[in-house]
Amino acid sequence: MSGAQKIAVTVTAVVPLNDLVTRFEFRRTGGGLLPTFSGGAHTVVEMRDGDTPRMNPYSLMSDPMDQTSYAISVRRDDVGRGGSLFMHNNVAVGDEMVISNPVNLFSLDLRAKKQLFIAGGIGITPFLAQIKQMERLGGRWELHYTCRSEALGSYVDELTTQHPNEANVYYDDQDQRIDLKALLDGQPIGTHIYVCGPKGMIDWVRNTAAAEGWPREGIHYEEFLAPQSGKPFEVKLAISNKVIQVGEQESLLEAMERSGVDAPYLCRGGACGQCETRVIDYTGNFIHRDHWLDDAEHASGEKIMPCVSRFEGKTLVLDR
Amino acid sequence: MTLQFNDETFRDDYSFHNSDRALKRFPFPFHEDSYMYSVNMEQHQGGPADSIYEKRFDVDEHYVSEMRDRAMVLADDPLRCQSLPHMTLAGWDLLELIMVSKSEDYPDLFELHRDGDQWRWVNKPMGIDDSFTFLDEATLPYGPMEYITRQTQGDFCVLDQRDDNLWMDAGTITTQADWSLDFDLGMNFFEWHAPVPMAHEKGIFVRALKFLLNIQQGAPARRLNWTLTVNPLLDTSPENYHKWGIQKTSMTPETVGAKQHLRVELQTFFRLPRSNALVFPIRCYLCSFQDLTKTPKWARRLHRVIRDLPDELATYKGFIDNRPMMLDYLSQFDDGLPTSLGIWPDLDTEPALQKRLI
């Protein structure tokens, strides 16, 4: 089950922002409203790259209250598996695409007295929607946003013009750094922290906050993993009664879908748990990469998250 | 309007009754001749014509009278409807979901006119025609959740989702099977389910929570649950146990068929888009044993399920003391013939009861 009904959309704008990031805007094909969503939600964009189907999650960055159009921003990844390159090189205004209903794995805790947003690079996108939501609801927020350089500072002008008191921008190439300890120290009780960016930044914020005594429930982060390539392997799917080959450049989940097996998923990035699959038998080693299963489950050999995890060995039989 | 609304009561003289149409579409909850807990979830995307599954929010002949009963419960005890401050946005989500669904699914009964934030809502069965500003509480007579749940059958738990758990942070609960919103408010999924016997050991709540956390926008889910209630009471709350609990001792072999009701809950689950909260409507359907036994398959199966239910569950559901009397009544219908699988009545294919009715 791949979940809710998909949404057919038409690309209405392709806006290059800088050398790396391009914004894509969608409206519902044939007219009509899109679902509302909550700030922090993502949509899974389906691409037809020749014979290769691709499905990448992207944060919705448009106003959650605006049902006429959605916007995402895609950072080009020249060494990735090709989804972002396809978006940049092949998607044009007027193209029809299919996207998923919004799914939010990074939602605001609405009990918070204040929302403290910490973004690195393209990690700004979920915050753009959350900021619009907070503005509409009249909530208190503050943004600290690090970019490599002014040239690569996506949406910096818009943020600093509209929110001069809330938006703080730091440029790596000018050696500007967030003084995180001081920042956390100055927050009122009841503040929640949200961090989205590179793994190193997420770890830095989580570890610093934990060391400063912040409650675990007050720290929220979103890190989508892109599936990584690896050695090809063979899998037997017991329920479907199929033996499939997982190629070097595709994930186990993608290989199942390519073979016509309707496997569940939501985030396709190792975070949500929806694609969790029971292992019936194996001889070999798992390469677990997800955030969902705990260490004991990883060690047990009983479960695998096919969206990001792989296998090396002789036999793998899955309950799918 | 094609739907005729009953003028009936769920208290005092208990004039509640099911028409033939209501009996035919009653959600009999047992898909086989025995019962044990299971997660038993399925997608809530319509169902057979005129079944209770067909619409997102089923409106039936009891609608107007149920809403009158809810208003009486709330007048006596305002704490049956509560919403913690951070749940107001979820209340608007719920109002939007119900207004859009009902106006699309029952255009002859409900109308929604939207011009930006300016909304007009027409509820013909209840004689309501209100204009208000969406997301502006001051323009409604109640908070958004209370406003819309005073006009929608079933209880509503509005659950906040955070820290990989669900939290009972808002709701309107007036037709409940012996649990209290005021008591459970603010609890998480495991806390409020703590009293349920046997299911924890089976790992059911861990699996159910995982499923619920992943309910997506555009993909609502549903399941049935059940218990038994003496007299067609909607409000079987702990707060009023002193009023209804004693009625369980009032049944006699002569009155058990008319007084003993099967109480079935259609539980649905919708992701609320603006708040990312989850709403859990619990819709209660009541049917007397004497009406249920008019359907041969249900007569046979009800006897077998009640007879074979583990004592822990019969105790938890509050009918272990009356079980012998119920079984005396139900056994007169059970001729021992096999039953077809599934919950549907199968009136055309299941044989008539072979036992003579006493």
Side-chain angles (χ1 to χ4, degrees):
Chain A
M1 176 203 67
S2 9
Q5 272 191 331
K6 305 288 175 60
I7 305 170
V9 293
T10 301
V11 179
T12 53
V14 177
V15 183
L17 297 172
N18 51 46
D19 279 353
L20 287 179
V21 179
T22 295
R23 181 171 72 241
F24 298 86
E25 297 176 12
F26 306 105
R27 285 178 190 259
R28 198 187 268 278
T29 303
L33 297 178
L34 293 161
T36 51
F37 61 95
S38 44
H42 71 267
T43 183
V44 174
V45 177
E46 301 190 3
M47 302 163 225
R48 288 245 141 249
D49 186 0
D51 289 339
T52 311
R54 301 188 183 279
M55 289 194 252
N56 280 15
Y58 294 107
S59 294
L60 290 165
M61 51 159 285
S62 44
D63 183 350
M65 302 285 170
D66 178 6
Q67 292 182 257
T68 60
S69 73
Y70 283 170
I72 60 170
S73 287
V74 179
R75 183 185 184 281
R76 198 181 73 234
D77 182 355
D78 293 322
V79 295
R81 298 176 324 130
S84 68
L85 279 173
F86 178 85
M87 290 296 293
H88 275 252
N89 297 336
N90 299 71
V91 174
V93 171
D95 285 1
E96 294 189 7
M97 301 188 81
V98 172
I99 65 174
S100 73
N101 263 273
V103 174
N104 200 339
L105 303 172
F106 189 52
S107 61
L108 295 171
D109 189 323
L110 295 173
R111 299 171 309 157
K113 303 297 179 198
K114 179 180 170 186
Q115 316 286 16
L116 177 61
F117 301 137
I118 301 176
I122 194 63
I124 190 64
T125 50
F127 297 126
L128 294 170
Q130 290 182 331
I131 287 168
K132 292 180 182 95
Q133 182 176 342
M134 292 314 291
E135 288 292 295
R136 183 71 165 84
L137 298 175
R140 228 177 132 192
W141 62 275
E142 186 177 313
L143 170 72
H144 294 265
Y145 174 23
T146 66
C147 313
R148 274 206 239 160
S149 63
E150 285 188 37
L152 291 174
S154 308
Y155 304 107
V156 162
D157 289 346
E158 166 186 327
L159 285 163
T160 51
T161 308
Q162 293 173 16
H163 311 290
N165 297 322
E166 289 88 3
N168 303 274
V169 180
Y170 307 78
Y171 295 114
D172 290 346
D173 67 348
Q174 298 174 28
D175 267 340
Q176 297 170 343
R177 299 278 181 267
I178 300 174
D179 185 351
L180 186 58
K181 215 159 160 272
L183 176 65
L184 298 184
D185 198 34
Q187 298 304 316
I189 291 175
T191 299
H192 280 242
I193 302 171
Y194 303 80
V195 54
C196 185
K199 183 171 170 25
M201 179 183 217
I202 293 174
D203 291 344
W204 172 58
V205 172
R206 291 178 67 199
N207 293 336
T208 308
E212 294 297 303
W214 282 64
R216 186 180 53 82
E217 295 81 3
I219 304 157
H220 312 263
Y221 59 97
E222 176 154 72
E223 182 195 2
F224 281 156
L225 301 165
Q228 282 184 359
S229 50
K231 289 183 195 158
F233 59 103
E234 184 177 279
V235 186
K236 183 173 182 205
L237 303 176
I239 295 175
S240 321
N241 195 24
K242 285 184 177 172
V243 176
I244 65 168
Q245 309 296 326
V246 182
E248 195 178 320
Q249 291 295 332
E250 67 183 343
S251 70
L252 171 53
L253 176 62
E254 288 165 340
M256 286 196 261
E257 290 168 339
R258 181 173 50 74
S259 313
V261 176
D262 189 17
Y265 69 84
L266 275 183
C267 76
R268 306 181 79 85
C272 76
Q274 186 76 356
C275 69
E276 180 181 304
T277 302
R278 199 168 69 83
V279 175
I280 295 174
D281 191 21
Y282 74 103
T283 314
N285 297 310
F286 292 95
I287 305 165
H288 290 296
R289 295 190 55 247
D290 61 280
H291 300 304
W292 174 255
L293 301 173
D294 60 30
D295 291 347
E297 287 172 314
H298 282 157
S300 73
E302 290 172 0
K303 289 171 181 172
I304 185 169
M305 308 304 291
C307 64
V308 291
S309 297
R310 302 183 72 87
F311 180 77
E312 284 180 356
K314 223 168 93 189
T315 328
L316 176 61
V317 185
L318 297 180
D319 186 23
R320 185 70 76 197
Chain B
M1 286 181 218
T2 47
L3 193 55
Q4 294 296 311
F5 297 107
N6 299 347
D7 183 8
E8 61 193 356
T9 56
F10 303 86
R11 54 180 72 203
D12 305 324
D13 64 342
Y14 298 112
S15 62
F16 164 85
H17 55 283
N18 283 307
S19 68
D20 287 344
R21 172 179 178 261
L23 290 185
K24 214 177 141 196
R25 70 201 297 279
F26 184 77
F28 190 74
F30 307 116
H31 64 92
E32 57 187 2
D33 286 358
S34 62
Y35 172 79
M36 184 31 76
Y37 287 125
S38 63
V39 178
N40 67 320
M41 292 280 190
E42 61 178 9
Q43 293 293 307
H44 183 42
Q45 304 276 14
D50 201 41
S51 73
I52 63 148
Y53 298 124
E54 189 185 9
K55 312 292 193 192
R56 285 165 280 187
F57 296 90
D58 183 42
V59 177
D60 69 6
E61 65 191 31
H62 309 296
Y63 176 48
V64 175
S65 295
E66 280 191 29
M67 294 300 96
R68 197 161 51 210
D69 196 75
R70 165 157 295 161
M72 286 190 265
V73 173
L74 289 174
D76 289 344
D77 183 359
L79 295 179
R80 301 299 189 86
C81 174
Q82 297 191 54
S83 175
L84 295 179
H86 62 282
M87 298 303 283
T88 304
L89 183 62
W92 285 109
D93 265 327
L94 179 62
L95 175 143
E96 180 179 29
L97 173 69
I98 292 176
M99 286 186 179
V100 169
S101 301
K102 280 188 167 180
S103 60
E104 288 176 357
D105 292 349
Y106 300 93
D108 53 334
L109 301 179
F110 304 96
E111 293 172 18
L112 178 62
H113 306 279
R114 286 183 285 185
D115 177 12
D117 288 348
Q118 298 306 305
W119 291 27
R120 177 174 163 231
W121 167 246
V122 181
N123 175 341
K124 292 180 190 171
M126 294 180 70
I128 291 169
D129 184 340
D130 284 338
S131 294
F132 61 94
T133 305
F134 188 70
L135 293 182
D136 181 356
E137 279 186 275
T139 60
L140 280 176
Y142 308 100
M145 179 192 71
E146 179 167 3
Y147 178 79
I148 198 59
T149 56
R150 280 176 177 268
Q151 301 178 44
T152 309
Q153 287 166 279
D155 281 347
F156 289 83
C157 305
V158 186
L159 312 175
D160 195 19
Q161 179 159 334
R162 55 176 199 270
D163 312 333
D164 293 326
N165 212 324
L166 294 167
W167 304 80
M168 182 82 70
D169 284 351
T172 299
I173 308 294
T174 68
T175 67
Q176 68 271 53
D178 202 7
W179 68 278
S180 163
L181 174 71
D182 191 41
F183 188 78
D184 286 0
L185 193 73
M187 289 188 188
N188 71 33
F189 189 79
F190 296 113
E191 290 168 339
W192 83 68
H193 280 117
V196 182
M198 298 171 83
H200 293 276
E201 292 78 351
K202 290 173 173 287
I204 279 182
F205 290 122
V206 174
R207 273 186 291 143
L209 177 63
K210 252 184 189 180
F211 180 89
L212 294 174
L213 290 173
N214 275 327
I215 296 253
Q216 297 171 65
Q217 264 178 258
R222 67 185 175 214
R223 68 184 287 260
L224 294 178
N225 195 12
W226 68 280
T227 188
L228 297 177
T229 302
V230 175
N231 289 324
L233 279 153
L234 285 178
D235 176 24
T236 50
S237 57
E239 286 90 338
N240 278 333
Y241 188 81
H242 58 289
K243 295 180 190 164
W244 61 268
I246 188 127
Q247 296 179 26
K248 291 199 272 186
T249 63
S250 70
M251 277 200 308
T252 65
E254 291 70 40
T255 61
V256 61
K259 278 176 165 271
Q260 184 65 62
H261 286 70
L262 179 59
R263 180 189 195 98
V264 179
E265 294 175 350
L266 171 63
Q267 305 183 341
T268 51
F269 305 87
F270 297 81
R271 175 68 54 200
L272 296 175
R274 297 171 194 273
S275 59
N276 204 38
L278 193 74
V279 66
F280 172 30
I282 308 166
R283 172 68 183 278
C284 168
Y285 294 86
L286 293 162
C287 189
S288 68
F289 274 20
Q290 69 184 16
D291 278 346
L292 282 171
T293 54
K294 291 174 186 169
T295 300
K297 173 177 164 181
W298 293 353
R300 294 181 178 106
R301 184 166 291 170
L302 183 62
H303 172 245
R304 297 167 197 176
V305 170
I306 301 293
R307 180 191 63 200
D308 299 337
L309 197 74
D311 285 353
E312 294 98 314
L313 291 188
T315 303
Y316 174 68
K317 290 178 184 289
F319 64 83
I320 191 141
D321 291 344
N322 282 334
R323 177 148 72 171
M325 195 195 302
M326 290 177 210
L327 292 177
D328 281 347
Y329 176 80
L330 292 171
S331 63
Q332 46 179 341
F333 304 99
D334 188 355
D335 51 23
L337 289 182
T339 55
S340 58
L341 274 180
I343 62 171
W344 304 102
D346 299 332
L347 289 165
D348 296 333
T349 48
E350 289 292 276
L353 296 174
Q354 308 293 301
K355 273 192 164 181
R356 217 154 52 87
L357 299 187
I358 301 165

